[in-house]
Amino acid sequence: MARKDYRLNLPLLMDIMAHNFVNVETVLYLNTHPDCQEVLDLHNRNAERYHRLIDEYQRNHGLLYSNYPDAGYPWNWIDEPWPWEINYRS
Amino acid sequence: MWEYKKFLEFPADVRRKDPDLAALIATQFGGPDGELSASLRYLSQMYTMPIPEAKATLNSIGTEELAHFEIIGTLLYKLVSGVPADVIKQTRFAPHYAKWGRANFPEDSSGNPFTSAFFASHEDPIASITENMAAEQKARAVYEYLLDMTEDPAVIDTLAFLREREIVHFQRFGEVLDLLYDYQEKYP
């Protein structure tokens, strides 16, 4: 199997982090407002975009979830940088 | 169960190394109003909650607090990694270094190790949720004390984010408390 050159894509990762944060917020809100259609719609729209971005990242830049079903060879879950090693302002 | 996502909830950065600041921020890693304490408090309380909104809120916020534990761990790591021992020797971080080197350890800013004696977990849901509202306010206050201790703009951004999350969590727990009172009125 051909080796692919997975590497950090910081702008895409930051975009994913932003969509992940929206998800954190919509989930907390919906937990106490399960009948709010407006936030539910926002939640679903954001989650759809999040999953598309995650898929793009995992296909081209390496795993963000260890259970991605199309992990490249060699196993890149172990690849650095880990989240605490990234300079987000670079 | 829990699954790791290989990114942070917030892009925690520091502008410069600062072991003195790390020694202070450590209290949010393993101190009484820290993120580990918050996470274990909520993830312990969730099982016996009488209404689904309360179970879900404790589960979601307890999980988010673990992500905050990681954010604080990231700040601590970035503030001290690569700082030579002879520089650390001159700082408040020296007692930590003498015990653990530059590794993170859950303790408060005076070096007292983490303990679950920091929190409570009551079957009485009003007691637990009210405790949580106080805990969120105490954590907000600690973030404000810490914000007074630094001028590093990257650290300030991160501490300000965590401070805001305490306010959101306080709001959500307040809503859970109202729902619990409604429930108790309906099913006394």
Side-chain angles (χ1 to χ4, degrees), chain B residues 22-35 107-110 142 146:
Chain B
L24 299 175
I25 289 177
T27 197
Q28 288 309 83
F29 199 65
D33 303 311
E35 302 293 352
E107 63 191 1
D108 70 12
S109 47
S110 311
V142 171
L146 289 171

Side-chain angles (χ1 to χ4, degrees), chain B residues 110-186:
Chain B
S110 311
N112 300 304
F114 176 79
T115 163
S116 51
F118 290 150
F119 62 83
S121 177
H122 279 277
E123 181 179 356
D124 184 309
I126 303 292
S128 278
I129 299 300
T130 306
E131 141 125 358
N132 300 352
M133 293 176 73
E136 295 291 341
Q137 291 296 349
K138 289 186 282 181
R140 176 193 54 76
V142 171
Y143 280 116
E144 290 174 11
Y145 307 146
L146 289 171
L147 282 162
D148 290 339
M149 298 288 111
T150 180
E151 280 164 17
D152 183 318
V155 175
I156 287 172
D157 278 356
T158 305
L159 296 177
F161 169 79
L162 293 169
R163 176 191 169 276
E164 282 172 23
R165 298 310 295 155
E166 311 299 346
I167 294 167
V168 171
H169 294 171
F170 177 80
Q171 171 70 26
R172 299 282 94 92
F173 282 130
E175 292 159 1
V176 168
L177 191 63
D178 287 344
L179 291 166
L180 284 167
Y181 282 130
D182 291 348
Y183 174 80
Q184 292 191 338
E185 215 166 277
K186 232 162 56 187

Side-chain angles (χ1 to χ4, degrees), chain B residues 19-138:
Chain B
D20 278 312
L21 185 59
L24 299 175
I25 289 177
T27 197
Q28 288 309 83
F29 199 65
D33 303 311
E35 302 293 352
L36 182 61
S37 185
S39 180
L40 297 183
R41 174 190 289 113
Y42 306 150
L43 296 179
S44 299
Q45 292 172 353
M46 67 181 178
Y47 298 90
T48 51
M49 284 289 146
I51 60 173
E53 294 90 339
K55 293 172 196 172
T57 297
L58 288 165
N59 180 283
S60 296
I61 297 182
T63 300
E64 186 183 354
E65 306 291 14
L66 279 180
H68 296 175
F69 183 62
E70 185 187 30
I71 288 171
I72 293 292
T74 297
L75 284 184
L76 298 176
Y77 169 75
K78 289 184 173 185
L79 287 168
V80 302
S81 69
V83 179
D86 64 339
V87 173
I88 287 176
K89 196 159 63 180
Q90 323 290 330
T91 72
R92 265 186 229 109
F93 193 76
H96 178 106
Y97 184 87
K99 279 186 287 185
W100 312 109
R102 298 177 194 81
N104 284 338
F105 180 77
E107 63 191 1
D108 70 12
S109 47
S110 311
N112 300 304
F114 176 79
T115 163
S116 51
F118 290 150
F119 62 83
S121 177
H122 279 277
E123 181 179 356
D124 184 309
I126 303 292
S128 278
I129 299 300
T130 306
E131 141 125 358
N132 300 352
M133 293 176 73
E136 295 291 341
Q137 291 296 349
K138 289 186 282 181

